[in-house]
């Protein structure tokens, strides 16, 4: 993947080749800029690579290693993230409502002017 950077080795995980999986960060020009992913360290060598690739930062990948469920820290992070997204969407919706109201008034005024011009002609 062009523009990705190698950030660390994930020594606790090995790929199908038996080598340590490497964690990369997608570059700015990638489809998912800044997103982290695991990849087989042999990915450039088609003959040696096992083809391992998996996202690290998925919203659904927050697992608690001790119990296998979603960790409370990760759940709180997700809740806060969605609250922020919701807040931004609420602001956008309010702006759209105000814009729509103004546009309706302008449309009615233009109809009125057009009708008055049609009567005078």
């Amino acid at each position: 993947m062009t523009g990705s950077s190698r950030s660390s080795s994930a020594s606790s995980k090995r790929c199908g080749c038996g080598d340590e999986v490497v964690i990369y960060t997608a570059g700015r020009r990638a489809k998912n800029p800044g997103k982290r992913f695991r990849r087989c360290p042999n990915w450039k060598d088609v003959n040696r690579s096992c083809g391992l690739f998996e996202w690290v930062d998925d919203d659904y990948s927050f697992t608690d290693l001790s119990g296998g469920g979603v960790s409370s820290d990760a759940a709180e992070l997700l809740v806060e993230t969605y609250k922020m997204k919701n807040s931004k969407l609420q602001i956008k919706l309010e702006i759209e409502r105000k814009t729509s109201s103004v546009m309706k008034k302008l449309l009615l005024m233009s109809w009125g002017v057009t009708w008055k011009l049609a009567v005078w002609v």
Side-chain angles (χ1 to χ4, degrees):
M1 178 175 283
T2 305
S4 61
S5 64
R6 183 178 184 158
S7 61
S8 66
S9 176
S11 59
S12 62
K13 186 164 180 140
R14 297 199 174 270
C15 68
C17 302
D19 295 327
E20 290 182 2
V21 174
V22 179
I23 297 177
Y24 295 89
T25 302
R28 290 183 306 184
R29 295 188 326 229
K31 288 183 181 179
N32 298 298
K35 199 163 182 184
R36 295 182 316 146
F37 59 94
R38 289 183 187 97
R39 175 176 263 175
C40 171
N42 304 314
W43 68 275
K44 288 184 180 180
D45 185 353
V46 180
N47 297 324
R48 286 188 54 207
S49 177
C50 64
L52 175 76
F53 176 92
E54 62 185 12
W55 292 111
V56 174
D57 297 331
D58 267 350
D59 288 345
Y60 304 106
S61 68
F62 293 112
T63 55
D64 180 23
L65 298 176
S66 61
V70 176
S71 70
S72 60
D73 290 341
E76 287 177 26
L77 179 63
L78 279 174
V79 168
E80 288 303 314
T81 300
Y82 286 119
K83 280 182 181 179
M84 285 180 15
K85 285 181 180 181
N86 185 35
S87 179
K88 288 179 183 178
L89 288 172
Q90 290 292 335
I91 292 168
K92 279 182 152 181
L93 179 61
E94 188 60 31
I95 291 170
E96 289 296 324
R97 284 183 178 151
K98 288 179 180 179
T99 303
S100 175
S101 176
V102 169
M103 296 300 282
K104 286 178 188 175
K105 289 175 184 173
L106 288 172
L107 179 63
L108 290 173
M109 287 174 33
S110 70
W111 285 347
V113 169
T114 304
W115 184 78
K116 283 186 179 186
L117 287 175
V119 171
W120 286 95
V121 175

